[in-house]
Amino acid sequence: MKRNRQVRNSVNNEPGYKKLAALIIIICMAVIPWITYMKVVRLDETASEYFQNSDGLSVDFFLYYKAVAVIILGILIACFIIGENIFPDNIIKATPIRSKSNRVMIIASEVFIIMTVLSAIFSKYHATVRKGSPSEYESVYVLIAYMLLFLGGMNYFCYENMSRLLKRVMLGIAVITVILTCVEAFYKPLFEINWLRNMITPQAYKGIVSELRVSGFSDMVGLTFYNPNYYGGFCILIFPFMWNFFLAENKKIGQIIYGIASAGMIFCVFKSQATASFYVLIIEIILALVIHIRSLKYMWKRLVAYIFAMLFIVILTNVIFGGKLLKAGKDIAANETIDEVNSNADKFQLDDIKMEDNRLRIIGPDRELCLAMNGGTLQFMDENGNKLDVSNEDDVIHFEDKDYAMISISMNSYNQIVINLGYDDTIEFYVADNVFYGVGQNGTQITDVSRTSRFGKRLYPLFTGRGYAWMNTLPMLGKTIVVGHGAGTFAYYFKQNDYVGLLNTHGSTKFVIDKPHSMYLQTAMEEGCIALIAMLVIFVMVIFNYISNYKCIELCYNNDNKHNLASVAGASFVAGVGFMIYGLVNDSMVTVNPVFWIILGICVSSVYGLKKD
């Protein structure tokens, strides 16, 4: 009995400043993902080439102010950590960030910060590094703040009281997420609701956005996360808390509440229609069951009830909606969108494009179309120089030869030659002084629309075309072994306007590859490979820290004085591992990554709180 009282004192009587720090972090974690307000930014010359909406301006609703909030939270955490090691009369030395077992993570965090700063210093694009790319706003300051958020999560959540509060907050986040998802799924996107749209728009721009439409993702839900993929990433961070609390809860009412909340988060992942999040969700379900493997014999009744309830809801919903639910589930699991991009079999398969002064060569695997401009006259030939017969119908040129029958050529209002090869979109070219040019960002003339070499070409279609970005990013890492190119600069180094690669992978050339679609490649490119190694060390040590203390954590589930700490430790471990996997196919983003870094720190902190007594 005496020992239990000592445990209670050690895990509950944390200093007031630690309670305040933890409370601020919890509140920010709950609020930051939902911060939304219109910001119009004037871009520098380089950024405007890639990111402008019009007249050198970029308009953002979902990123800029989240980034500001993350930086402010990082500064507050730094002040708390410095202050608690300077000002108290009796400095508490038994803290997670002082623990020898966590020293490697601390060093890795410091290395990451140092390499991020060095990459910023040596970057050619200081304006972008300071502000961040307009498509993510992860500036050098935000990336440093991520590490501070990790350290804050690590340092202030080793107490039972804060874990109890965190459980309630996470439940609140889940409930809010489910409610807003239902609004967007069954009514309309949040920001097409007039009063919400007016709330997030400054007075000067209300007239401009009165007809704003944010439903470009069809029936996918994105809420305030910029993109359904990032919304799905947020859901897989929240779901493990509801699922693990459901598994660990001893009271019936708690089991019911967390069971419903976890089912709601599954619905949210489903409505995001993000394939990566769908598969990570499955992994998280299994992983949570694995860490409770020894207790499953006591949980089988609630699990059976949960499964039957879910099956009943799925079957009933599918019947009500005429089989659409299962079809949507199949589409998410299979993710056949890349096949749909190139679904038209009757197309001129493109292998390469060469612009040679007055000749434009469109090269296929076994044939070639050559356009030649002679004295203002456009001529068409095959690979042997034979003239091709054409017809002109309503100013659209068609070919008589069956091998070229799928191709049509016309002129648009910008005096560009428009060539339709049978893909989902067309390709355009300028002709000036009998010389062919491609069309770059903002209509600029470019002299190269293909790559000289294609590493891993067969892997381009992987994960809805992400393979294209991955395979063409890997060869670039040789120049970022020590320092990277700087935060937000990926688009400036990745070869844009690759007509051949983009057309074959995405069916269109009308966008900028501004991110590598992998958090790990993004880090290696922008902060350098040393920073990536430091980040991976943190991930490995978080996993090792949990596994090496697994028995202690398992025992604490049945300890009333540490039950909440154990529940949070298990949930944050599953969420952290799930997001590490998610990061393989999605970039770091200020809408969701702050929550990840805090949760990762909380995993370390809660394990420390469980084992220290």
Side-chain angles (χ1 to χ4, degrees):
M1 193 70 176
K2 182 178 179 181
R3 185 176 183 277
N4 285 341
R5 185 159 50 250
Q6 289 174 341
V7 169
R8 185 178 296 110
N9 287 338
S10 64
V11 297
N12 286 346
N13 292 341
E14 66 271 29
Y17 63 84
K18 287 183 179 287
K19 291 181 182 178
L20 178 60
L23 184 61
I24 290 173
I25 293 171
I26 289 175
I27 292 172
C28 289
M29 183 171 65
V31 171
I32 286 175
W34 310 107
I35 295 175
T36 305
Y37 197 72
M38 185 180 183
K39 177 68 177 180
V40 179
V41 177
R42 180 162 293 282
L43 304 173
D44 63 88
E45 183 177 351
T46 304
S48 65
E49 181 180 345
Y50 297 88
F51 300 110
Q52 70 169 321
N53 295 109
S54 64
D55 299 325
L57 301 175
S58 173
V59 179
D60 166 70
F61 283 91
F62 306 113
L63 304 175
Y64 181 87
Y65 288 106
K66 287 183 176 72
V68 172
V70 168
I71 294 170
I72 293 172
L73 177 58
I75 293 171
L76 288 174
I77 290 172
C79 291
F80 271 106
I81 292 176
I82 294 170
E84 72 173 316
N85 286 282
I86 295 177
F87 296 113
D89 293 331
N90 297 309
I91 296 174
I92 299 174
K93 295 185 178 181
T95 61
I97 62 171
R98 287 176 176 265
S99 172
K100 290 183 179 180
S101 62
N102 296 332
R103 187 169 296 170
V104 173
M105 282 183 273
I106 302 300
I107 293 173
S109 301
E110 293 170 346
V111 170
F112 183 91
I113 291 174
I114 290 170
M115 298 314 300
T116 298
V117 171
L118 287 176
S119 297
I121 291 172
F122 290 104
S123 176
K124 296 179 181 178
Y125 304 100
H126 289 107
T128 298
V129 168
R130 289 193 304 270
K131 298 176 183 177
S133 157
S135 65
E136 59 190 27
Y137 280 107
E138 284 193 332
S139 65
V140 60
Y141 308 115
V142 170
L143 295 174
I144 293 171
Y146 284 167
M147 287 300 112
L148 295 173
L149 266 58
F150 171 65
L151 295 177
M154 179 192 291
N155 204 44
Y156 297 112
F157 290 88
C158 55
Y159 303 101
E160 177 73 4
N161 279 341
M162 296 318 302
S163 293
R164 186 180 300 112
L165 175 61
L166 181 64
K167 285 180 67 174
R168 294 170 182 169
V169 171
M170 296 304 284
L171 177 61
I173 293 173
V175 171
I176 291 170
T177 303
V178 172
I179 292 172
L180 294 179
T181 299
C182 288
V183 171
E184 194 150 302
F186 301 117
Y187 178 50
K188 63 165 65 173
L190 294 180
F191 303 110
E192 289 184 13
I193 300 173
N194 285 333
W195 66 270
L196 275 174
R197 184 162 51 195
N198 289 331
M199 281 180 60
I200 65 171
T201 307
Q203 187 63 39
Y205 299 104
K206 288 191 187 296
I208 299 175
V209 299
S210 60
E211 299 300 322
L212 176 68
R213 294 289 179 269
V214 294
S215 53
F217 296 105
S218 185
D219 56 347
M220 303 167 76
V221 171
L223 298 185
T224 62
F225 293 86
Y226 184 71
N227 182 298
N229 283 318
Y230 303 122
Y231 165 66
F234 175 75
C235 292
I236 62 167
L237 283 172
I238 305 303
F239 167 76
F241 286 85
M242 302 303 101
W243 179 237
N244 197 63
F245 295 164
F246 165 72
L247 295 175
E249 184 60 46
N250 295 320
K251 297 178 181 179
K252 288 285 185 184
I253 184 64
Q255 293 172 12
I256 294 172
I257 291 172
Y258 291 123
I260 294 172
S262 64
M265 291 309 302
I266 292 174
F267 166 75
C268 292
V269 171
F270 187 83
K271 289 307 297 180
S272 76
Q273 296 196 33
T275 300
S277 299
F278 174 78
Y279 283 111
V280 170
L281 177 78
I282 295 172
I283 293 171
E284 289 179 335
I285 291 172
I286 296 171
L287 182 57
L289 292 173
V290 169
I291 67 174
H292 288 285
I293 192 71
R294 296 183 183 181
S295 302
L296 289 182
K297 59 184 177 181
Y298 305 112
M299 308 176 182
W300 69 270
K301 289 183 179 179
R302 79 180 75 164
L303 285 172
V304 170
Y306 188 94
I307 292 170
F308 275 104
M310 290 293 289
L311 286 174
F312 174 77
I313 293 171
V314 169
I315 293 171
L316 180 64
T317 305
N318 191 58
V319 170
I320 292 173
F321 288 97
K324 292 182 179 179
L325 184 65
L326 288 183
K327 183 182 181 302
K330 179 177 177 272
D331 291 342
I332 295 169
N335 204 341
E336 298 174 346
T337 54
I338 195 64
D339 296 325
E340 294 169 3
V341 163
N342 294 314
S343 59
N344 185 4
D346 187 21
K347 63 177 179 287
F348 185 93
Q349 185 63 48
L350 188 60
D351 270 6
D352 202 1
I353 295 177
K354 295 185 181 297
M355 293 182 292
E356 301 169 343
D357 294 329
N358 71 323
R359 295 203 310 163
L360 171 65
R361 296 172 57 202
I362 299 174
I363 304 169
D366 54 7
R367 52 191 163 167
E368 178 179 324
L369 172 64
C370 179
L371 284 70
M373 183 64 71
N374 291 316
T377 302
L378 191 60
Q379 298 178 339
F380 307 96
M381 296 166 286
D382 63 14
E383 62 274 12
N384 298 316
N386 299 318
K387 187 176 180 181
L388 296 172
D389 294 327
V390 299
S391 62
N392 191 323
E393 185 176 337
D394 296 329
D395 293 327
V396 178
I397 295 172
H398 299 276
F399 292 84
E400 302 294 336
D401 191 315
K402 64 179 182 179
D403 288 337
Y404 302 91
M406 74 291 294
I407 302 175
S408 62
I409 300 175
S410 60
M411 297 289 290
N412 64 17
S413 58
Y414 298 102
N415 203 32
Q416 299 166 350
I417 296 175
V418 180
I419 303 176
N420 186 342
L421 298 174
Y423 288 86
D424 288 354
D425 205 351
T426 58
I427 50 177
E428 288 79 37
F429 297 89
Y430 289 112
V431 179
D433 298 325
N434 287 334
V435 177
F436 286 91
Y437 298 93
V439 181
Q441 281 70 42
N442 305 313
T444 56
Q445 294 183 356
I446 55 176
T447 58
D448 185 14
V449 293
S450 187
R451 290 179 176 272
T452 55
S453 62
R454 295 193 179 277
F455 172 71
K457 180 179 177 181
R458 294 192 177 189
L459 301 178
Y460 282 10
L462 284 176
F463 297 97
T464 60
R466 282 170 166 79
Y468 171 76
W470 298 343
M471 292 301 104
N472 289 304
T473 299
L474 286 172
M476 301 164 65
L477 299 185
K479 296 183 178 180
T480 62
I481 292 174
V482 180
V483 296
H485 296 304
T489 60
F490 176 83
Y492 307 156
Y493 290 90
F494 191 89
K495 178 176 174 53
Q496 308 294 343
N497 308 303
D498 174 15
Y499 280 15
V500 180
L502 289 174
L503 210 59
N504 281 315
T505 306
H506 299 285
S508 174
T509 64
K510 308 296 193 299
F511 50 85
V512 172
I513 305 294
D514 56 354
K515 295 181 284 288
H517 297 292
S518 170
M519 179 171 67
Y520 302 96
L521 289 176
Q522 181 182 15
T523 301
M525 273 290 292
E526 296 183 352
E527 285 72 61
C529 293
I530 294 177
L532 172 62
I533 292 170
M535 187 175 77
L536 291 174
V537 167
I538 293 173
F539 292 174
V540 171
M541 290 307 300
V542 169
I543 295 171
F544 175 79
N545 181 59
Y546 184 89
I547 294 175
S548 62
N549 292 285
Y550 173 74
K551 289 186 178 179
C552 170
I553 298 167
E554 187 181 37
L555 289 172
C556 289
Y557 276 106
N558 296 318
N559 183 335
D560 290 341
N561 297 316
K562 291 196 172 186
H563 173 79
N564 292 306
L565 266 174
S567 296
V568 167
S572 54
F573 172 73
V574 173
V577 172
F579 199 85
M580 292 174 198
I581 298 170
Y582 165 90
L584 290 169
V585 296
N586 283 287
D587 310 278
S588 177
M589 176 60 69
V590 74
T591 58
V592 62
N593 276 64
V595 179
F596 163 66
W597 284 107
I598 292 172
I599 287 175
L600 206 64
I602 288 173
C603 180
V604 179
S605 188
S606 52
V607 171
Y608 176 86
L610 292 169
K611 70 179 183 178
K612 71 176 181 178
D613 293 305

